[in-house]
Amino acid sequence: MHSVERIGRYRIERPLGTGTFGTVWLAHDDTLDAPVAVKVLADNWSHRLDIRELFLSEARLLRRAGSRRVVQVYDIGELPDGRPYFVMEYADGGTLADLFDDGPLPVPEALRLTALAARAAAALREAGIGHRDVNPSNLLLRTGPDGAREVLLADLGPAKTPAEASGLTPAASSAAYRPPEQAEPSAGIDARAAVYSLGAVGYHLVTGSVPGAPGKVVRPDRLRPGLDPGVRRALMRALRPDRERRWPDARAFAEELERLATGPRPRRRRHRLLVLAAGVAVAGPAFALMDHGSAPTELRIEDATGRVAAVVPATWAGQVRGSGWDPRVLGLPAGHQPGFAVADDLARWQDLGADVDGMFVGMVGRGDVTALVNALTHPGCHYDGARDHTLSVWHGRVRTWSDCPGGGSVVEAGLTPPDGGGQPQVYVQIREQSEPSGIRRVLGSVRVGG
């Protein structure tokens, strides 16, 4: 469009951007004395009736959404040459893409903006519309009444109603933000596709880098050291290639981001242990303080018989089950053996999607604990490898998994006497909410009595 001065009653000031199908102009509505954005179909598409209909459908869908989180359409019209245009509210802060020039944002602000974008996608979905191109360029920034930045979802050209989203339409989103199922013609698209795209947006805002290909995303805390493990888990869950393991929808993702943006969740510091095994009495103290302050940093945990003990971080010691175990559950010869489990929430210990810190220690009467540990797997977690440790009283075979469904880690260890034979043998499993740390110290503290 050349030498444009007016479009309908709107006085043109300058172009704001050009996309595949049209140009957006900043204009002024002299009647209402307000800035507006006017989108006009491009010359080279004016003869294509299908493109014209796609252009007009965007205006209808924006109007239909009826949400303050989605850019509003005020008017629609046609130029003298027949090309359609529609008039939208003007977002004065540019787009999220404009923020990347200054590097990563402060984490709380990055989470807040991503949550606002997720709320916008949820509002669109609740209006029966799925946006298939959620990326930073389509997320507009507007200055709110309190001066804070607000987010508006725009550019619904490739949007579809659920009935239309058969999976047979071409994938449109930018590659870095595109969910893997959008590239599969028969996969179908649901609410979790937007979750992936929003996760990629949040990842970019937090780290300053676009994520890698699905399944090959570098953990965000490796690009931004010191990142709250909860933030890492939230983003990585959104970016799961398997949509069954993502957040169920954009609203759930937004709620978690909003919680994280307010600060890290307080860790429970319960030092009065709860023995969960019915009918088991602990002879003597179940734990001993390892320092003399009012807030101990480590605790010595024992099983009910006092034969198995270890020193663990005090934050793990919310509950203890000290009644022993039967190695048969892991395929070893059956028989009741001393052992204990200690964790901040034992009820959720078996769920790899739960945020749990803790440790299980169990003696092994017969069988090969090293072979057992070598055979264990944790589908859905990233296998980090195996190491052999020479500890104070043990030889340890240690295998580690990270990035489990809940974002945490699992350590499996088989402890044997350093001479390579005889008894006792000990099986250990450690769960942590973040990357495993201090494992050598914890394993080295394990003791077995007669």
Side-chain angles (χ1 to χ4, degrees):
M1 185 179 297
H2 306 287
S3 302
V4 175
E5 294 184 0
R6 301 191 73 88
I7 295 177
R9 77 167 194 251
Y10 307 101
R11 176 166 45 85
I12 298 302
E13 295 186 357
R14 60 181 172 86
L16 291 173
T18 300
T20 304
F21 298 129
T23 299
V24 179
W25 300 82
L26 173 61
H28 196 271
D29 184 341
D30 292 331
T31 302
L32 296 177
D33 190 23
V36 293
V38 182
K39 187 169 185 177
V40 183
L41 183 64
D43 288 315
N44 55 315
W45 292 109
S46 58
H47 65 289
R48 288 278 301 271
L49 295 181
D50 56 337
I51 299 300
R52 178 189 178 92
E53 180 56 30
L54 181 65
F55 182 88
L56 292 173
S57 71
E58 178 183 4
R60 298 187 191 107
L61 289 171
L62 286 169
R63 185 73 179 180
R64 171 177 158 184
S67 170
R68 63 182 179 84
R69 301 181 187 276
V70 178
V71 70
Q72 297 293 293
V73 171
Y74 300 140
D75 193 8
I76 194 166
E78 191 173 282
L79 295 177
D81 62 10
R83 283 179 296 146
Y85 68 85
F86 57 89
V87 182
M88 305 171 287
E89 65 179 305
Y90 170 58
D92 62 342
T95 72
L96 280 186
D98 298 330
L99 303 180
F100 297 138
D101 294 340
D102 298 325
L105 293 177
V107 172
E109 179 67 359
L111 298 179
R112 189 185 73 85
L113 292 174
T114 307
L116 289 173
R119 292 284 184 185
L124 201 64
R125 172 63 62 171
E126 288 161 9
I129 304 164
H131 199 304
R132 300 193 68 207
D133 194 16
V134 177
N135 70 69
S137 296
N138 289 339
L139 292 164
L140 309 184
L141 295 171
R142 175 181 62 191
T143 304
D146 60 354
R149 288 183 290 207
E150 299 177 348
V151 176
L152 297 172
L153 188 54
D155 198 354
L156 303 191
K160 296 288 179 183
T161 64
E164 295 168 327
S166 63
L168 301 179
T169 51
S173 63
S174 304
Y177 308 95
R178 181 184 302 151
E181 65 268 23
Q182 200 157 306
E184 301 175 10
S186 61
I189 303 298
D190 62 19
R192 294 166 294 183
V195 170
Y196 186 97
S197 299
L198 291 160
V201 169
Y203 184 103
H204 199 166
L205 290 172
V206 167
T207 67
S209 301
V210 295
K216 298 181 180 179
V217 178
V218 176
R219 286 172 38 161
D221 52 332
R222 293 176 179 166
L223 299 176
R224 189 157 187 168
L227 187 67
D228 178 358
V231 175
R232 169 178 60 82
R233 288 192 293 271
L235 294 176
M236 292 302 288
R237 180 175 175 182
L239 290 167
R240 294 285 183 189
D242 179 0
R243 59 184 169 184
E244 296 293 335
R245 295 173 58 195
R246 294 179 205 149
W247 299 98
D249 53 41
R251 183 172 297 280
F253 185 37
E255 290 171 354
E256 178 66 4
L257 294 175
E258 288 163 353
R259 185 187 69 80
L260 291 166
T262 63
R265 180 174 58 187
R267 297 287 296 277
R268 286 171 293 199
R269 284 186 165 271
R270 282 181 276 171
H271 304 304
R272 179 178 177 275
L273 301 186
L274 172 64
V275 179
L276 299 180
V280 175
V282 177
F287 65 92
L289 303 185
M290 301 305 292
D291 69 3
H292 301 288
S294 59
T297 59
E298 294 182 327
L299 297 173
R300 185 176 186 270
I301 309 297
E302 298 178 350
D303 78 311
T305 69
R307 294 182 61 193
V308 178
V311 176
V312 304
T315 53
W316 295 6
Q319 300 172 330
V320 169
R321 182 183 293 115
S323 57
W325 76 307
D326 186 344
R328 178 176 54 182
V329 299
L330 292 180
L332 293 169
H336 188 80
Q337 295 291 332
F340 67 82
V342 56
D344 54 4
D345 188 350
L346 281 174
R348 305 170 71 202
W349 180 266
Q350 300 297 330
D351 180 7
L352 286 178
D355 292 345
V356 177
D357 284 342
M359 177 183 189
F360 172 82
V361 182
M363 286 182 60
V364 176
R366 293 176 294 156
D368 186 342
V369 71
T370 301
L372 162 68
V373 168
N374 284 336
L376 292 173
T377 62
H378 292 286
C381 301
H382 179 268
Y383 179 54
D384 295 328
R387 293 187 64 182
D388 291 321
H389 291 280
T390 300
L391 306 166
S392 55
V393 296
W394 302 107
H395 172 78
R397 177 63 169 174
V398 181
R399 301 176 73 214
T400 305
W401 289 259
S402 63
D403 236 3
C404 292
S409 63
V410 179
V411 173
E412 303 281 9
L415 305 182
T416 58
D419 60 10
Q423 295 294 327
Q425 299 181 94
V426 180
Y427 163 70
V428 179
Q429 184 184 85
I430 296 174
R431 292 273 308 276
E432 289 194 74
Q433 296 181 26
S434 56
E435 291 188 72
S437 59
I439 298 303
R440 183 183 179 89
R441 176 178 173 82
V442 173
L443 293 177
S445 75
V446 174
R447 295 292 185 270
V448 174

